[in-house]
Amino acid sequence: MITEQESPSGAGQQLDEVVIRFCGDSGDGMQLTGGQFTSTSALFGNDFATFPDFPAEIRAPKGTTFGVSGFQVQFASKDIHTPGDAVNALIAMNPAGFKVNIADVEPGGIVIVNEDEFEKVNLRKCGYEDGYNPLDDEEINAKYRVYRVPMSRLTRESLAESGMGAKDIDRCRNMFALGVVYWLYERPLETTIGFLEETFTKKKNKPEIAKINIDALRAGYYFGETAEIFPVRFRIAPMKRKPGTYRRIGGNEATVLGLVTAAQKAKKNLLYASYPITPASEILHGLARMKQYGVKSFQAEDEIAAVCAAIGASFAGDIGVTGTSGPGMALKSEAMGLAVILELPLIIVDVQRSGPATGMPTKTEQADLLQAMFGRASECPCIIVAPSGPGDCFEMAVEAVRLSVRHMCPVIYLSDGYIANGAEPWLVPDADSIEPIEVTHPKASDFAEGFLPYLHDRETLSRPWALPGTPGLEHRVGSLEKEDGTGNLSYDPDNHDAMVRLRAAKVEAAAKFIKPLEVDGPESGEALLIGWGGTHGSIATAAEELRKKGRSVAHAHMRHLNPFPSNLGELMSRYEHVIIPEINLGQLSMLIRAKYLVDAKGINLVRGRAFRVDELMRRIEAAIEGRVFEEAMS
């Protein structure tokens, strides 16, 4: 629950944290509105976490529940880890948005609606019975604080003298709504005004569009100030942070910056080859704007062409990266096997989404782990890493390149839709503090007795990365089995057995170079919660809340999934229970149970969204008390 106290001036209420959700039709600009509120709160100094939620359809029928787009943000004066569970304030631009989202609002929560849209046709479109308007429902009005604001009419009236057409004016309703919310939560307008001027006046040379949006924003703000329908305003103080430069960053954006930084640290050009697929496409868009850093982006005709192009770039001595989501990684699997047997560095970015097949393209999931581990022909191991949040995408992208180059093998980078589309404050690192990525290309003089392309380093088990065209380093490449050392084609059974084991040992050798797994919480106790990927915020918050209740619960979040951190087995032995929450049916649980023979218990929900903290807490306590089956059935 929100902690409230009177603000120093007595003019409002001071809150520790607030969860706001903007929702409406996919054409109502909810992602832009939520993004601007987030940027303003970031510059104000609040901690925040976001959850954009939008339909998979390119354009669902207007006014239907299928077309509802939402943007949730939790902003706070303290450290937070998630976009929040219960919604404290809902801004609904139409009946469909109201219907889809009202159940998530806490009892007594604020609901601001554009009442102009709650007319007969729109109510019928989203499935309400004829003659029923939820805004007139006594039960709803008793449960929530509903504020009916005629946003469409007020936007038109405020822009009546602009000379713009009705269509352009109606597109400004989201800015009117944003202005109301800015007033309610004491947010400044300057950040959004600057954004609108930069976007429309400077970039698009449409100052008239900038002006009407700014006027609508101010009109909404002044409406909040003068209408006197809100009994109180709310204040969320800035958070005290470690000194440094912070910025708002999304997961895909951080992945882009991490890949570019890694290439710079390796003193290499980077090729990113991809076929557009939700939710990974933004990485292609972002890297396409990085040409000044030696980045080449290539939109291939299909997934297979993309991964093969990336392998070609790696063979030529560049950093080869390909990106996709789960269905696309399945198509890349044969070529990934080629990279494994060639023993070339390659980064495969998989931004996971709900499946199988096309599934729910805009919803999140963690169900590609077993595909990453085993989804290729024969014994075909790859290193696997997974960022834990939007900001962590930067560090793990650098880590993926570092591991791939060091061990001369493919690395799968498992992000997910929740991380990719979410955003959080990010402390911009000092570029000089990031260690260089050492890359060595051999010369003929390095080999007194002739070049051996598959001569392996004793520590990393990497082979020489010989650049094509280097005099004296001519060698054969291909997908057939290699003779150890020479790289010549070999059908010898003992050689094949040795090479299969060597490629597996190469991946295991990476464990010596990755950081030990760290624990947040007691060093021993009732339970160790193990997570990976986008579940970090929910698990970390649940663990914190359970410790407040007296439970001896710790949390360890895995960012290296193959190989596992070297201290994982010893770590698990300190706790009575090992509990692994995942947005799949137990994939990491299966791997850990198989390797360590521990009775790991899974908490598994596959609903296309992150765990709710309150529900996760109940399930963790049930697992500790042996009530897993009963809890799962409740």
Side-chain angles (χ1 to χ4, degrees):
M1 292 294 292
I2 297 174
T3 303
E4 297 186 1
Q5 62 186 44
E6 287 302 312
S7 65
S9 68
Q13 289 179 328
Q14 190 78 26
L15 308 182
D16 288 336
E17 71 237 5
V18 171
V19 178
I20 294 179
R21 185 181 296 173
F22 298 90
C23 65
D25 196 76
S26 59
D28 284 336
M30 294 296 94
Q31 303 304 316
L32 173 64
T33 305
Q36 281 304 299
F37 189 92
T38 302
S39 296
T40 296
S41 297
L43 289 172
F44 188 77
N46 297 126
D47 195 19
F48 64 88
T50 69
F51 174 58
D53 189 22
F54 40 86
E57 290 80 9
I58 292 175
R59 192 67 179 90
K62 185 176 180 181
T64 64
T65 57
F66 298 103
V68 172
S69 176
F71 189 103
Q72 181 167 313
V73 54
Q74 179 174 201
F75 60 110
S77 59
K78 62 181 183 179
D79 190 25
I80 56 172
H81 306 295
T82 75
D85 285 351
V87 175
N88 308 130
L90 177 72
I91 294 82
M93 301 299 291
N94 66 358
F98 179 93
K99 184 176 184 180
V100 169
N101 293 281
I102 188 63
D104 292 332
V105 180
E106 67 173 359
I110 293 171
V111 180
I112 302 172
V113 300
N114 178 9
E115 71 169 340
D116 290 333
E117 295 299 307
F118 282 72
E119 45 89 21
K120 188 181 298 184
V121 174
N122 289 340
L123 290 167
R124 187 184 302 121
K125 278 183 182 179
C126 65
Y128 284 118
E129 296 180 1
D130 285 345
Y132 175 78
N133 187 333
L135 302 185
D136 298 326
D137 190 310
E138 292 183 3
E139 185 176 341
I140 288 175
N141 281 279
K143 188 174 183 180
Y144 310 107
R145 290 179 282 175
V146 180
Y147 298 100
R148 303 166 68 150
V149 179
M151 297 184 196
S152 298
R153 177 175 62 81
L154 292 174
T155 302
R156 292 165 187 161
E157 288 178 359
S158 66
L159 302 178
E161 304 300 321
S162 67
M164 302 295 288
K167 189 174 183 181
D168 286 326
I169 288 174
D170 281 347
R171 285 175 177 163
C172 299
R173 290 177 297 185
N174 63 327
M175 288 296 106
F176 185 95
L178 182 59
V180 173
V181 180
Y182 276 164
W183 179 86
L184 187 61
Y185 290 98
E186 299 191 359
R187 308 280 98 175
L189 303 181
E190 285 76 16
T191 300
T192 298
I193 290 173
F195 166 81
L196 293 169
E197 289 177 341
E198 176 70 22
T199 301
F200 293 108
T201 302
K202 295 181 181 179
K203 291 183 178 179
K204 298 185 178 182
N205 196 27
K206 293 184 176 181
E208 68 281 4
I209 300 297
K211 185 177 187 309
I212 60 173
N213 276 279
I214 292 169
D215 288 347
L217 179 73
R218 286 175 170 149
Y221 188 91
Y222 297 142
F223 171 82
E225 188 173 52
T226 59
E228 298 183 352
I229 66 171
F230 301 105
V232 67
R233 298 175 76 186
F234 303 98
R235 293 178 179 172
I236 298 84
M239 177 185 174
K240 293 181 180 179
R241 293 187 179 277
K242 174 184 174 182
T245 301
Y246 288 82
R247 58 164 292 186
R248 172 195 174 195
I249 200 162
N252 280 341
E253 185 181 13
T255 298
V256 167
L257 295 178
L259 290 172
V260 174
T261 300
Q264 292 289 300
K265 288 294 176 178
K267 298 181 179 178
K268 286 287 182 181
N269 290 330
L270 182 144
L271 172 75
Y272 184 79
S274 181
Y275 181 79
I277 184 170
T278 301
S281 296
E282 285 183 356
I283 299 175
L284 176 61
H285 303 160
L287 286 168
R289 295 190 289 267
M290 295 290 179
K291 295 177 182 177
Q292 68 271 34
Y293 297 109
V295 175
K296 306 179 188 72
S297 57
F298 170 48
Q299 181 175 318
E301 65 269 28
D302 56 40
E303 298 282 4
I304 301 170
V307 65
C308 287
I311 292 171
S314 293
F315 175 66
D318 286 348
I319 304 298
V321 186
T322 186
T324 188
S325 190
M329 193 164 76
L331 293 170
K332 296 179 189 291
S333 62
E334 183 180 4
M336 290 166 63
L338 173 63
V340 168
I341 203 167
L342 290 176
E343 299 186 44
L344 282 172
L346 175 69
I347 313 300
I348 304 99
V349 176
D350 176 11
V351 186
Q352 300 165 95
R353 71 187 201 185
S354 294
T358 308
M360 298 190 295
T362 60
K363 310 303 178 185
T364 195
E365 208 159 278
Q366 290 184 293
D368 291 351
L369 178 56
L370 293 184
Q371 180 183 191
M373 284 288 294
F374 306 119
R376 295 164 296 283
S378 191
E379 298 288 344
C380 192
C382 294
I383 295 174
I384 304 172
V385 302
S388 61
D392 193 44
C393 288
F394 177 86
E395 184 172 340
M396 294 314 292
V398 174
E399 175 78 343
V401 174
R402 192 184 304 279
L403 289 170
S404 186
V405 168
R406 178 188 287 139
H407 297 278
M408 289 292 289
C409 69
V411 173
I412 298 173
Y413 172 98
L414 284 181
S415 179
D416 59 57
Y418 185 77
I419 291 173
N421 295 322
E424 64 183 4
W426 181 55
L427 176 60
V428 179
D430 178 5
D432 293 335
S433 68
I434 301 171
E435 294 182 6
I437 297 176
E438 296 183 8
V439 176
T440 302
H441 296 296
K443 304 182 294 293
S445 58
D446 296 332
F447 302 90
E449 299 180 4
F451 177 49
L452 293 175
Y454 280 80
L455 179 67
H456 293 88
D457 179 84
R458 290 184 179 181
E459 187 176 23
T460 65
L461 296 179
S462 63
R463 75 174 185 89
W465 193 0
L467 296 182
T470 304
L473 300 188
E474 296 83 1
H475 61 284
R476 180 183 292 125
V477 296
S479 62
L480 296 173
E481 183 59 281
K482 310 290 182 287
E483 181 182 64
D484 190 14
T486 67
N488 293 331
L489 188 154
S490 174
Y491 289 106
D492 179 79
D494 291 334
N495 177 79
H496 178 59
D497 182 84
M499 293 300 286
V500 166
R501 294 178 187 276
L502 186 148
R503 289 187 287 264
K506 174 187 292 205
V507 171
E508 290 300 320
K512 295 181 291 186
F513 298 91
I514 65 179
K515 296 177 181 178
L517 189 59
E518 297 180 354
V519 171
D520 180 22
E523 292 295 321
S524 61
E526 281 186 295
L528 175 66
L529 310 179
I530 298 178
W532 68 280
T535 57
H536 177 272
S538 300
I539 300 174
T541 305
E544 287 178 4
E545 294 301 315
L546 287 169
R547 287 195 292 271
K548 292 177 183 177
K549 293 177 63 177
R551 291 283 192 182
S552 180
V553 174
H555 170 219
H557 213 75
M558 295 180 61
R559 300 154 78 216
H560 298 86
L561 298 168
N562 195 34
F564 288 141
S566 57
N567 67 331
L568 176 58
E570 186 275 330
L571 207 58
M572 291 189 293
S573 68
R574 304 182 203 160
Y575 299 86
E576 297 173 35
H577 302 277
V578 174
I579 302 171
I580 306 177
E582 300 179 80
I583 308 177
N584 58 45
L585 295 183
Q587 297 188 12
L588 181 59
S589 298
M590 181 190 302
L591 296 174
I592 286 179
R593 290 172 67 95
K595 184 174 178 65
Y596 297 100
L597 303 180
V598 299
D599 185 22
K601 300 177 176 67
I603 295 177
N604 306 104
L605 295 171
V606 195
R607 300 182 295 192
R609 60 183 304 166
F611 292 107
R612 285 179 61 102
V613 173
D614 55 355
E615 181 176 21
L616 185 56
M617 289 172 62
R618 291 195 300 270
R619 289 177 179 269
I620 291 168
E621 290 193 290
I624 292 173
E625 298 167 6
R627 297 186 288 107
V628 178
F629 178 77
E630 292 85 352
E631 181 74 9
M633 294 296 291
S634 65

